[in-house]
Coordinates of all heavy atoms in Angstrom, one line a residue:
M1 N 23.7 25.1 26.2 CA 23.0 23.8 26.3 C 21.6 23.9 25.7 O 20.9 24.8 26.2 CB 23.0 23.3 27.7 CG 22.6 21.9 27.9 SD 22.8 21.2 29.6 CE 24.5 21.3 29.9
P2 N 21.2 23.1 24.8 CA 19.9 23.2 24.2 C 18.8 22.8 25.2 O 19.0 22.0 26.1 CB 19.9 22.2 23.1 CG 21.3 21.9 22.8 CD 22.1 22.1 24.1
T3 N 17.7 23.5 25.0 CA 16.5 23.2 25.9 C 15.5 22.4 25.1 O 15.2 22.7 23.9 CB 15.9 24.5 26.3 OG1 16.8 25.3 27.1 CG2 14.6 24.3 27.1
I4 N 15.0 21.3 25.7 CA 13.9 20.5 25.1 C 12.7 20.6 26.0 O 12.9 20.5 27.2 CB 14.4 19.0 24.9 CG1 15.7 18.9 24.1 CG2 13.2 18.2 24.2 CD1 15.6 19.4 22.7
V5 N 11.5 20.8 25.4 CA 10.3 20.9 26.2 C 9.5 19.7 26.0 O 9.1 19.3 24.8 CB 9.5 22.2 25.8 CG1 8.2 22.3 26.6 CG2 10.3 23.4 25.9
F6 N 9.2 19.0 27.1 CA 8.3 17.8 27.0 C 6.9 18.2 27.5 O 6.8 18.8 28.6 CB 8.9 16.7 27.9 CG 10.2 16.1 27.5 CD1 11.4 16.8 27.8 CD2 10.2 15.0 26.6 CE1 12.6 16.3 27.4 CE2 11.4 14.5 26.2 CZ 12.6 15.1 26.5
V7 N 5.9 17.8 26.7 CA 4.5 18.1 27.1 C 3.8 16.8 27.3 O 3.7 16.0 26.4 CB 3.8 19.0 26.0 CG1 2.4 19.3 26.5 CG2 4.6 20.2 25.7
R8 N 3.3 16.6 28.5 CA 2.5 15.4 28.8 C 1.1 15.5 28.3 O 0.6 16.6 28.0 CB 2.5 15.2 30.3 CG 3.8 14.8 30.9 CD 3.6 14.3 32.3 NE 4.9 13.7 32.8 CZ 5.5 14.0 33.9 NH1 5.0 14.9 34.7 NH2 6.6 13.4 34.2
P9 N 0.4 14.4 28.2 CA -1.0 14.5 27.6 C -1.9 15.4 28.4 O -2.8 15.9 27.8 CB -1.4 13.0 27.7 CG -0.2 12.2 27.6 CD 0.9 13.0 28.3
D10 N -1.6 15.6 29.7 CA -2.5 16.5 30.5 C -2.1 18.0 30.3 O -2.7 18.9 30.9 CB -2.4 16.1 32.0 CG -1.1 16.4 32.6 OD1 -0.1 16.9 32.0 OD2 -0.9 16.0 33.8
G11 N -1.1 18.2 29.5 CA -0.7 19.6 29.2 C 0.5 20.1 30.0 O 1.0 21.2 29.8
S12 N 0.8 19.4 31.1 CA 2.0 19.8 31.9 C 3.2 19.8 31.1 O 3.4 18.9 30.3 CB 2.1 19.0 33.2 OG 2.3 17.7 32.9
R13 N 4.1 20.8 31.4 CA 5.3 20.9 30.6 C 6.5 20.7 31.5 O 6.5 21.2 32.7 CB 5.4 22.3 30.0 CG 4.2 22.5 29.0 CD 4.1 24.0 28.6 NE 5.2 24.5 27.8 CZ 5.2 24.5 26.5 NH1 4.2 24.0 25.8 NH2 6.2 25.0 25.8
H14 N 7.6 20.1 31.0 CA 8.8 20.0 31.6 C 9.9 20.5 30.7 O 10.1 19.9 29.6 CB 9.1 18.5 32.0 CG 8.1 18.0 33.0 ND1 8.1 18.2 34.3 CD2 6.9 17.4 32.8 CE1 7.1 17.7 34.9 NE2 6.3 17.2 34.0
V15 N 10.7 21.5 31.1 CA 11.7 22.0 30.3 C 13.0 21.5 30.8 O 13.4 21.7 32.0 CB 11.7 23.6 30.4 CG1 12.7 24.2 29.5 CG2 10.3 24.1 30.0
L16 N 13.8 20.9 29.9 CA 15.1 20.3 30.3 C 16.2 20.9 29.5 O 16.1 21.1 28.3 CB 15.1 18.8 30.1 CG 14.1 18.0 30.8 CD1 14.3 16.5 30.3 CD2 14.2 18.1 32.3
D17 N 17.3 21.2 30.2 CA 18.6 21.6 29.5 C 19.3 20.2 29.2 O 19.5 19.4 30.1 CB 19.5 22.4 30.4 CG 18.9 23.8 30.6 OD1 18.2 24.3 29.6 OD2 19.0 24.4 31.7
V18 N 19.6 20.0 27.9 CA 20.1 18.7 27.5 C 21.5 18.9 26.8 O 21.6 19.8 26.0 CB 19.1 18.0 26.5 CG1 19.6 16.7 26.1 CG2 17.7 17.9 27.2
S19 N 22.4 18.1 27.2 CA 23.7 18.1 26.6 C 23.7 17.7 25.2 O 23.0 16.8 24.8 CB 24.7 17.2 27.4 OG 24.8 17.5 28.7
E20 N 24.4 18.5 24.4 CA 24.5 18.1 22.9 C 25.2 16.7 22.8 O 26.0 16.4 23.6 CB 25.4 19.1 22.2 CG 24.6 20.5 22.1 CD 25.3 21.4 21.1 OE1 25.7 21.0 20.0 OE2 25.4 22.6 21.4
G21 N 24.7 15.9 21.9 CA 25.2 14.6 21.7 C 24.3 13.5 22.4 O 24.4 12.4 22.0
S22 N 23.5 13.9 23.3 CA 22.6 13.0 23.9 C 21.4 12.8 23.0 O 21.4 13.4 21.9 CB 22.1 13.6 25.3 OG 21.2 12.7 25.9
S23 N 20.4 12.0 23.3 CA 19.2 12.0 22.5 C 18.0 12.5 23.3 O 18.1 12.6 24.5 CB 18.9 10.5 22.0 OG 18.5 9.7 23.1
V24 N 17.0 12.8 22.6 CA 15.8 13.3 23.3 C 15.3 12.2 24.3 O 14.9 12.5 25.4 CB 14.7 13.7 22.3 CG1 13.4 14.0 23.0 CG2 15.1 14.9 21.5
M25 N 15.4 10.9 23.8 CA 15.0 9.8 24.7 C 15.8 9.7 25.9 O 15.3 9.6 27.0 CB 15.0 8.5 23.9 CG 14.5 7.3 24.7 SD 15.6 6.0 25.2 CE 17.2 6.2 24.5
K26 N 17.1 9.7 25.8 CA 18.1 9.6 26.9 C 17.8 10.7 27.9 O 17.9 10.5 29.1 CB 19.5 9.6 26.5 CG 19.9 8.3 25.8 CD 21.4 8.3 25.4 CE 21.7 7.0 24.7 NZ 23.1 7.1 24.2
A27 N 17.6 11.9 27.4 CA 17.3 13.1 28.3 C 16.0 12.8 29.1 O 16.0 13.0 30.3 CB 17.2 14.4 27.5
A28 N 15.0 12.3 28.5 CA 13.7 12.1 29.1 C 13.9 11.0 30.2 O 13.4 11.2 31.4 CB 12.7 11.6 28.1
V29 N 14.6 9.9 29.9 CA 14.8 8.8 30.8 C 15.7 9.3 32.0 O 15.3 9.1 33.2 CB 15.4 7.6 30.2 CG1 15.9 6.6 31.2 CG2 14.4 7.0 29.2
A30 N 16.7 10.0 31.7 CA 17.6 10.5 32.8 C 16.9 11.5 33.8 O 17.3 11.5 34.9 CB 18.8 11.2 32.2
H31 N 15.9 12.2 33.3 CA 15.2 13.1 34.1 C 13.8 12.6 34.6 O 13.0 13.4 35.2 CB 15.0 14.5 33.4 CG 16.3 15.2 33.2 ND1 17.1 15.0 32.1 CD2 16.9 16.1 34.0 CE1 18.2 15.8 32.3 NE2 18.1 16.4 33.4
G32 N 13.6 11.3 34.4 CA 12.4 10.7 34.9 C 11.1 11.2 34.3 O 10.0 11.2 35.0
I33 N 11.1 11.6 33.0 CA 9.9 12.0 32.3 C 9.0 10.8 32.1 O 9.4 9.9 31.3 CB 10.2 12.7 31.0 CG1 11.1 13.9 31.2 CG2 9.0 13.0 30.3 CD1 10.5 15.0 32.0
D34 N 7.9 10.7 32.8 CA 7.0 9.6 32.6 C 6.4 9.7 31.1 O 6.2 10.8 30.6 CB 5.8 9.7 33.5 CG 6.2 9.5 35.0 OD1 7.2 8.8 35.2 OD2 5.5 10.0 35.8
G35 N 6.2 8.5 30.5 CA 5.7 8.5 29.2 C 6.7 8.1 28.2 O 6.4 7.7 27.0
I36 N 8.0 8.1 28.5 CA 9.1 7.6 27.7 C 9.5 6.3 28.3 O 10.2 6.3 29.3 CB 10.2 8.6 27.5 CG1 9.8 9.9 26.9 CG2 11.3 7.9 26.7 CD1 9.4 9.8 25.4
V37 N 9.2 5.2 27.7 CA 9.5 3.9 28.3 C 10.9 3.4 27.9 O 11.6 2.9 28.7 CB 8.4 2.8 28.0 CG1 8.7 1.5 28.6 CG2 7.0 3.3 28.4
A38 N 11.2 3.5 26.6 CA 12.5 3.1 26.1 C 12.9 1.7 26.4 O 14.0 1.5 26.9 CB 13.5 4.2 26.5
E39 N 12.1 0.8 26.2 CA 12.4 -0.6 26.5 C 13.6 -1.2 25.8 O 14.4 -2.0 26.4 CB 11.2 -1.5 26.1 CG 10.0 -1.3 27.1 CD 8.8 -2.2 26.7 OE1 8.8 -2.8 25.7 OE2 7.9 -2.2 27.5
C40 N 13.9 -0.7 24.6 CA 15.1 -1.3 23.9 C 16.4 -0.5 24.2 O 17.4 -0.8 23.7 CB 14.8 -1.3 22.4 SG 14.8 0.3 21.5
G41 N 16.3 0.6 24.9 CA 17.5 1.4 25.3 C 18.0 2.3 24.2 O 19.1 2.8 24.3
G42 N 17.2 2.5 23.2 CA 17.6 3.5 22.1 C 18.0 2.8 20.8 O 18.7 3.5 20.0
S43 N 17.6 1.6 20.6 CA 18.0 0.9 19.4 C 17.0 0.9 18.2 O 17.1 0.2 17.3 CB 18.3 -0.6 19.7 OG 19.3 -0.7 20.7
A44 N 15.9 1.7 18.4 CA 14.9 1.8 17.4 C 14.2 0.4 17.2 O 13.9 0.1 16.0 CB 15.4 2.4 16.1
M45 N 14.0 -0.3 18.2 CA 13.5 -1.7 18.1 C 12.2 -1.9 18.8 O 11.6 -3.0 18.8 CB 14.5 -2.7 18.6 CG 15.8 -2.7 17.9 SD 15.7 -3.2 16.2 CE 15.2 -4.9 16.4
C46 N 11.6 -0.9 19.5 CA 10.4 -1.1 20.3 C 9.3 -0.1 20.2 O 8.2 -0.3 20.5 CB 10.8 -1.3 21.8 SG 11.4 0.3 22.6
A47 N 9.6 1.1 19.7 CA 8.7 2.2 19.6 C 8.1 2.7 20.9 O 7.1 3.4 20.8 CB 7.6 1.8 18.6
T48 N 8.7 2.4 22.0 CA 8.1 2.9 23.3 C 8.7 4.2 23.7 O 8.4 4.7 24.8 CB 8.4 1.9 24.4 OG1 9.8 1.7 24.6 CG2 7.7 0.6 24.2
C49 N 9.4 4.9 22.8 CA 9.8 6.3 23.0 C 9.2 7.2 22.0 O 9.7 8.3 21.7 CB 11.4 6.3 22.9 SG 12.1 6.0 21.3
H50 N 8.1 6.8 21.4 CA 7.3 7.5 20.4 C 6.9 8.9 21.0 O 6.4 9.0 22.1 CB 6.1 6.7 20.1 CG 5.1 7.4 19.2 ND1 3.8 7.2 19.3 CD2 5.3 8.2 18.1 CE1 3.1 7.9 18.3 NE2 4.0 8.5 17.6
V51 N 7.2 9.9 20.2 CA 6.7 11.3 20.6 C 6.1 12.0 19.4 O 6.3 11.5 18.2 CB 7.9 12.2 21.1 CG1 8.5 11.6 22.4 CG2 9.0 12.3 20.1
Y52 N 5.4 13.0 19.7 CA 4.9 13.9 18.6 C 5.7 15.2 18.5 O 5.8 15.9 19.5 CB 3.4 14.2 18.9 CG 2.5 13.0 18.9 CD1 1.6 12.9 20.0 CD2 2.5 12.0 18.0 CE1 0.8 11.8 20.1 CE2 1.6 10.9 18.0 CZ 0.8 10.8 19.1 OH -0.1 9.7 19.2
T53 N 6.2 15.5 17.3 CA 6.9 16.7 17.1 C 6.0 17.6 16.2 O 5.1 17.1 15.5 CB 8.2 16.5 16.4 OG1 8.1 15.9 15.2 CG2 9.1 15.7 17.3
D54 N 6.2 18.9 16.2 CA 5.5 19.8 15.3 C 6.0 19.6 13.9 O 7.2 19.7 13.7 CB 5.7 21.2 15.8 CG 4.9 22.2 15.0 OD1 4.5 22.0 13.8 OD2 4.6 23.3 15.6
P55 N 5.1 19.3 13.0 CA 5.6 19.1 11.6 C 6.4 20.3 11.1 O 7.3 20.1 10.2 CB 4.3 18.9 10.8 CG 3.4 18.3 11.8 CD 3.7 19.0 13.1
A56 N 6.2 21.5 11.6 CA 6.9 22.7 11.2 C 8.4 22.5 11.6 O 9.3 23.2 11.0 CB 6.3 23.9 11.8
D57 N 8.7 21.6 12.5 CA 10.1 21.4 13.0 C 10.8 20.4 12.2 O 12.0 20.0 12.4 CB 10.2 21.0 14.5 CG 9.9 22.2 15.4 OD1 10.3 23.3 15.0 OD2 9.3 22.0 16.4
A58 N 10.2 19.8 11.2 CA 10.7 18.6 10.5 C 12.1 18.9 9.9 O 13.0 18.1 9.9 CB 9.8 18.2 9.3
D59 N 12.3 20.2 9.4 CA 13.6 20.5 8.8 C 14.7 20.6 9.8 O 15.9 20.6 9.5 CB 13.6 21.7 7.9 CG 13.1 22.9 8.6 OD1 12.5 22.8 9.7 OD2 13.3 24.1 8.1
R60 N 14.4 20.7 11.1 CA 15.4 20.8 12.2 C 15.8 19.4 12.7 O 16.8 19.2 13.4 CB 14.9 21.6 13.4 CG 14.6 23.0 13.1 CD 14.5 23.8 14.4 NE 13.6 23.4 15.4 CZ 13.7 23.7 16.7 NH1 14.7 24.4 17.1 NH2 12.8 23.4 17.6
L61 N 15.0 18.4 12.3 CA 15.2 17.0 12.8 C 16.0 16.2 11.7 O 15.8 16.5 10.5 CB 13.9 16.4 13.1 CG 13.0 17.1 14.1 CD1 11.7 16.4 14.2 CD2 13.7 17.1 15.4
P62 N 16.7 15.1 12.1 CA 17.3 14.3 11.1 C 16.2 13.6 10.3 O 15.1 13.4 10.8 CB 18.1 13.3 11.9 CG 17.5 13.3 13.3 CD 16.9 14.7 13.5
P63 N 16.6 13.2 9.1 CA 15.6 12.5 8.2 C 15.1 11.2 8.9 O 15.9 10.6 9.6 CB 16.3 12.3 6.9 CG 17.5 13.1 7.0 CD 17.8 13.4 8.4
L64 N 13.9 10.9 8.6 CA 13.3 9.6 9.1 C 14.0 8.5 8.3 O 14.1 8.5 7.1 CB 11.8 9.6 8.8 CG 11.0 8.6 9.4 CD1 10.8 8.8 10.9 CD2 9.6 8.6 8.8
T65 N 14.6 7.5 9.1 CA 15.2 6.3 8.4 C 14.1 5.3 8.1 O 13.0 5.3 8.7 CB 16.3 5.7 9.3 OG1 15.6 5.2 10.5 CG2 17.4 6.7 9.7
D66 N 14.5 4.4 7.2 CA 13.5 3.3 6.9 C 13.2 2.5 8.2 O 12.0 2.1 8.4 CB 14.1 2.3 5.9 CG 14.2 3.0 4.5 OD1 13.5 4.0 4.3 OD2 15.0 2.5 3.7
E67 N 14.2 2.2 9.0 CA 14.0 1.5 10.3 C 13.0 2.2 11.2 O 12.1 1.6 11.8 CB 15.3 1.3 11.0 CG 15.3 0.5 12.3 CD 16.7 0.4 12.9 OE1 17.3 1.4 13.2 OE2 17.2 -0.8 13.0
E68 N 13.2 3.5 11.4 CA 12.3 4.3 12.2 C 10.9 4.4 11.7 O 9.9 4.2 12.4 CB 12.9 5.7 12.4 CG 12.0 6.6 13.4 CD 12.5 8.0 13.5 OE1 13.5 8.4 12.9 OE2 11.9 8.7 14.3
D69 N 10.8 4.5 10.4 CA 9.5 4.6 9.7 C 8.8 3.3 9.9 O 7.6 3.3 10.2 CB 9.8 4.8 8.2 CG 8.5 5.1 7.4 OD1 7.6 5.8 7.9 OD2 8.4 4.5 6.3
E70 N 9.4 2.2 9.8 CA 8.8 0.9 10.1 C 8.3 0.7 11.5 O 7.2 0.3 11.8 CB 9.8 -0.3 9.7 CG 9.2 -1.6 9.9 CD 10.2 -2.7 9.4 OE1 11.0 -2.5 8.6 OE2 10.1 -3.8 10.0
M71 N 9.2 1.1 12.5 CA 8.8 1.0 13.9 C 7.6 2.0 14.2 O 6.8 1.6 15.1 CB 10.0 1.3 14.8 CG 11.1 0.3 14.8 SD 10.4 -1.4 15.1 CE 9.6 -1.2 16.7
L72 N 7.5 3.1 13.6 CA 6.4 4.0 13.9 C 5.1 3.4 13.5 O 4.0 3.9 13.9 CB 6.7 5.4 13.2 CG 7.7 6.2 13.8 CD1 8.1 7.4 12.9 CD2 7.2 6.7 15.2
D73 N 5.1 2.4 12.6 CA 3.9 1.7 12.3 C 3.4 0.8 13.4 O 2.3 0.2 13.4 CB 4.0 0.9 11.0 CG 4.1 1.8 9.8 OD1 3.5 2.9 9.8 OD2 4.7 1.4 8.8
C74 N 4.3 0.6 14.5 CA 4.0 -0.3 15.6 C 3.7 0.4 16.9 O 3.7 -0.2 17.9 CB 5.2 -1.2 15.8 SG 5.7 -2.2 14.3
T75 N 3.5 1.7 16.8 CA 3.2 2.4 18.1 C 1.9 2.1 18.6 O 0.9 1.8 17.9 CB 3.4 3.9 17.9 OG1 2.4 4.4 16.9 CG2 4.8 4.3 17.4
V76 N 1.7 2.2 20.0 CA 0.4 2.0 20.6 C -0.5 3.2 20.3 O -1.6 3.0 20.0 CB 0.6 1.8 22.1 CG1 -0.7 1.7 22.9 CG2 1.4 0.5 22.4
S77 N 0.0 4.4 20.5 CA -0.8 5.6 20.2 C -0.7 5.8 18.7 O 0.3 5.5 18.1 CB -0.3 6.8 21.0 OG -0.5 6.6 22.4
P78 N -1.7 6.5 18.2 CA -1.7 6.7 16.7 C -0.5 7.4 16.2 O 0.0 8.3 16.8 CB -3.0 7.5 16.5 CG -3.8 7.3 17.7 CD -2.9 7.1 18.8
R79 N -0.1 6.9 15.0 CA 1.0 7.6 14.3 C 0.3 8.8 13.6 O -0.7 8.7 13.0 CB 1.6 6.7 13.3 CG 2.7 7.4 12.5 CD 3.3 6.4 11.5 NE 4.4 7.1 10.8 CZ 5.3 6.5 10.0 NH1 5.2 5.2 9.8 NH2 6.2 7.1 9.4
V80 N 1.0 10.0 13.7 CA 0.5 11.2 13.1 C 1.6 11.9 12.4 O 2.8 11.5 12.6 CB -0.2 12.2 14.1 CG1 -1.4 11.5 14.8 CG2 0.8 12.7 15.1
D81 N 1.3 12.9 11.6 CA 2.4 13.7 10.9 C 3.2 14.3 12.1 O 2.6 14.9 12.9 CB 1.7 14.7 10.0 CG 2.7 15.4 9.1 OD1 3.8 14.8 8.8 OD2 2.5 16.6 8.7
G82 N 4.4 14.1 12.1 CA 5.3 14.6 13.2 C 5.7 13.5 14.2 O 6.4 13.8 15.1
S83 N 5.1 12.3 14.1 CA 5.5 11.2 15.0 C 7.0 10.9 14.7 O 7.4 10.7 13.6 CB 4.7 9.9 14.7 OG 3.4 10.0 15.3
R84 N 7.7 10.7 15.8 CA 9.1 10.3 15.8 C 9.4 9.4 16.9 O 8.7 9.4 17.9 CB 10.1 11.5 15.8 CG 10.0 12.5 14.6 CD 10.3 11.8 13.3 NE 11.7 11.3 13.3 CZ 12.8 11.9 12.7 NH1 12.6 13.1 12.2 NH2 13.9 11.4 12.7
L85 N 10.5 8.6 16.8 CA 11.1 7.9 17.9 C 12.1 8.8 18.6 O 13.1 9.2 17.9 CB 11.7 6.6 17.5 CG 10.8 5.6 16.8 CD1 11.6 4.3 16.5 CD2 9.6 5.2 17.7
S86 N 11.9 9.1 19.8 CA 12.8 10.1 20.5 C 14.3 9.6 20.6 O 15.2 10.4 20.7 CB 12.3 10.5 21.9 OG 12.2 9.4 22.7
C87 N 14.5 8.2 20.5 CA 15.8 7.7 20.5 C 16.6 8.1 19.2 O 17.8 8.0 19.2 CB 15.8 6.2 20.7 SG 15.1 5.2 19.4
Q88 N 15.9 8.4 18.2 CA 16.5 8.8 16.9 C 16.6 10.3 16.7 O 16.9 10.7 15.6 CB 15.6 8.2 15.8 CG 15.5 6.6 15.9 CD 16.9 6.0 15.8 OE1 17.6 6.1 14.8 NE2 17.2 5.3 16.9
L89 N 16.5 11.0 17.8 CA 16.6 12.5 17.7 C 17.8 12.9 18.6 O 17.7 13.2 19.8 CB 15.3 13.1 18.2 CG 14.1 12.8 17.5 CD1 12.8 13.4 18.1 CD2 14.2 13.1 16.0
P90 N 19.0 13.0 18.0 CA 20.2 13.5 18.7 C 20.0 15.0 19.0 O 19.6 15.7 18.1 CB 21.3 13.2 17.8 CG 20.7 13.0 16.4 CD 19.3 12.6 16.6
V91 N 20.4 15.4 20.2 CA 20.3 16.8 20.6 C 21.5 17.5 20.1 O 22.6 17.1 20.2 CB 20.2 16.9 22.1 CG1 20.1 18.3 22.5 CG2 18.9 16.1 22.6
S92 N 21.2 18.7 19.5 CA 22.2 19.6 19.0 C 21.7 21.0 19.2 O 20.5 21.2 19.6 CB 22.5 19.4 17.5 OG 21.4 19.8 16.7
G93 N 22.5 22.0 19.0 CA 22.1 23.4 19.2 C 20.9 23.7 18.3 O 20.1 24.6 18.6
G94 N 20.8 23.1 17.2 CA 19.7 23.3 16.2 C 18.4 22.9 16.7 O 17.4 23.3 16.2
L95 N 18.4 22.1 17.8 CA 17.1 21.6 18.4 C 16.7 22.5 19.6 O 15.7 22.2 20.2 CB 17.2 20.2 18.8 CG 17.3 19.1 17.7 CD1 17.1 17.7 18.2 CD2 16.2 19.4 16.6
D96 N 17.5 23.5 19.9 CA 17.1 24.3 21.1 C 15.7 24.8 21.0 O 15.2 25.3 20.0 CB 18.1 25.5 21.1 CG 17.9 26.3 22.4 OD1 17.7 25.7 23.5 OD2 17.9 27.6 22.4
G97 N 14.9 24.5 22.1 CA 13.5 25.0 22.1 C 12.5 24.0 21.5 O 11.3 24.2 21.5
L98 N 13.0 22.8 21.1 CA 12.2 21.8 20.5 C 11.1 21.4 21.5 O 11.4 21.1 22.6 CB 13.0 20.6 20.0 CG 12.1 19.4 19.4 CD1 11.7 19.8 18.0 CD2 13.0 18.1 19.4
V99 N 9.9 21.3 21.0 CA 8.8 20.8 21.9 C 8.4 19.4 21.4 O 8.1 19.2 20.2 CB 7.6 21.8 21.8 CG1 6.4 21.2 22.5 CG2 7.9 23.2 22.3
V100 N 8.4 18.5 22.3 CA 7.9 17.1 22.0 C 6.7 16.8 22.9 O 6.8 17.0 24.1 CB 9.0 16.0 22.1 CG1 10.1 16.3 21.1 CG2 9.6 16.0 23.5
K101 N 5.7 16.3 22.3 CA 4.5 15.9 23.0 C 4.5 14.4 23.2 O 4.8 13.7 22.3 CB 3.2 16.4 22.3 CG 3.1 17.9 22.2 CD 1.9 18.3 21.4 CE 1.8 19.8 21.3 NZ 0.7 20.3 20.5
L102 N 4.2 14.0 24.5 CA 4.1 12.6 24.8 C 2.8 12.1 24.4 O 1.7 12.7 24.8 CB 4.4 12.4 26.3 CG 5.8 13.0 26.8 CD1 5.9 12.8 28.2 CD2 6.9 12.4 26.1
P103 N 2.7 10.9 23.8 CA 1.4 10.4 23.4 C 0.7 9.8 24.7 O 1.4 9.6 25.7 CB 1.7 9.3 22.4 CG 3.2 8.9 22.7 CD 3.8 10.2 23.2
P104 N -0.6 9.6 24.6 CA -1.3 9.1 25.8 C -0.8 7.7 26.3 O -0.9 7.4 27.5 CB -2.7 9.1 25.4 CG -2.8 9.3 24.0 CD -1.5 9.8 23.5
E105 N -0.4 6.9 25.4 CA 0.1 5.5 25.8 C 1.3 5.1 25.0 O 1.5 5.5 23.9 CB -1.0 4.5 25.4 CG -2.3 4.6 26.2 CD -3.3 3.5 25.9 OE1 -2.9 2.4 26.0 OE2 -4.4 3.9 25.5
Q106 N 2.2 4.3 25.6 CA 3.4 3.8 25.0 C 3.4 2.3 24.9 O 4.2 1.8 24.2 CB 4.7 4.3 25.8 CG 4.9 5.8 25.6 CD 5.5 6.2 24.2 OE1 5.3 5.5 23.2 NE2 6.1 7.3 24.2
R107 N 2.6 1.6 25.7 CA 2.7 0.1 25.6 C 1.3 -0.4 25.2 O 0.3 0.1 25.5 CB 3.0 -0.4 27.0 CG 4.3 -0.1 27.5 CD 4.6 -0.7 28.8 NE 5.7 0.0 29.4 CZ 6.3 -0.5 30.5 NH1 6.0 -1.6 31.0 NH2 7.3 0.1 31.0

């Protein structure tokens, strides 16, 4: 089971074992990770599951779709290189050890 590491703005870390086929967003919501609001339930329609990934991990992540790219322009916290919507990150063995940082604000 892949491990995903969530880092809160205060630096605290939460390491979760996540079933393959789930999404990073669904795992965060299921485990009560504060900072992932997920108002649209994973439809890439609200940008409240915005996270920061390490740009060095870009080749491990699925390509950014036009829809996700557009929604990332609507985030409350600044969009940076490595910004992604966690609902668009399906968990697979290739993401084992992925670190996602939660932005300071989602709404």
Side-chain angles (χ1 to χ4, degrees):
M1 191 174 294
T3 298
I4 307 295
V5 180
F6 293 87
V7 181
R8 289 194 170 127
D10 68 4
S12 62
R13 300 166 68 91
H14 298 276
V15 180
L16 301 180
D17 292 325
V18 181
S19 299
E20 291 191 41
S22 184
S23 70
V24 171
M25 185 249 350
K26 286 180 182 176
V29 170
H31 290 89
I33 301 294
D34 293 336
I36 300 287
V37 180
E39 289 178 353
C40 73
S43 302
M45 299 295 295
C46 68
T48 60
C49 67
H50 176 217
V51 295
Y52 299 130
T53 62
D54 186 332
D57 285 325
D59 58 343
R60 296 201 302 156
L61 302 175
L64 192 70
T65 64
D66 290 341
E67 181 180 64
E68 182 181 4
D69 187 41
E70 184 177 329
M71 288 308 305
L72 285 168
D73 288 334
C74 302
T75 60
V76 173
S77 290
R79 179 181 182 168
V80 299
D81 192 24
S83 281
R84 295 297 302 260
L85 298 182
S86 60
C87 69
Q88 300 301 297
L89 302 177
V91 175
S92 67
L95 292 188
D96 187 40
L98 180 71
V99 175
V100 294
K101 294 180 180 178
L102 305 175
E105 295 183 57
Q106 289 287 22
R107 293 184 199 193

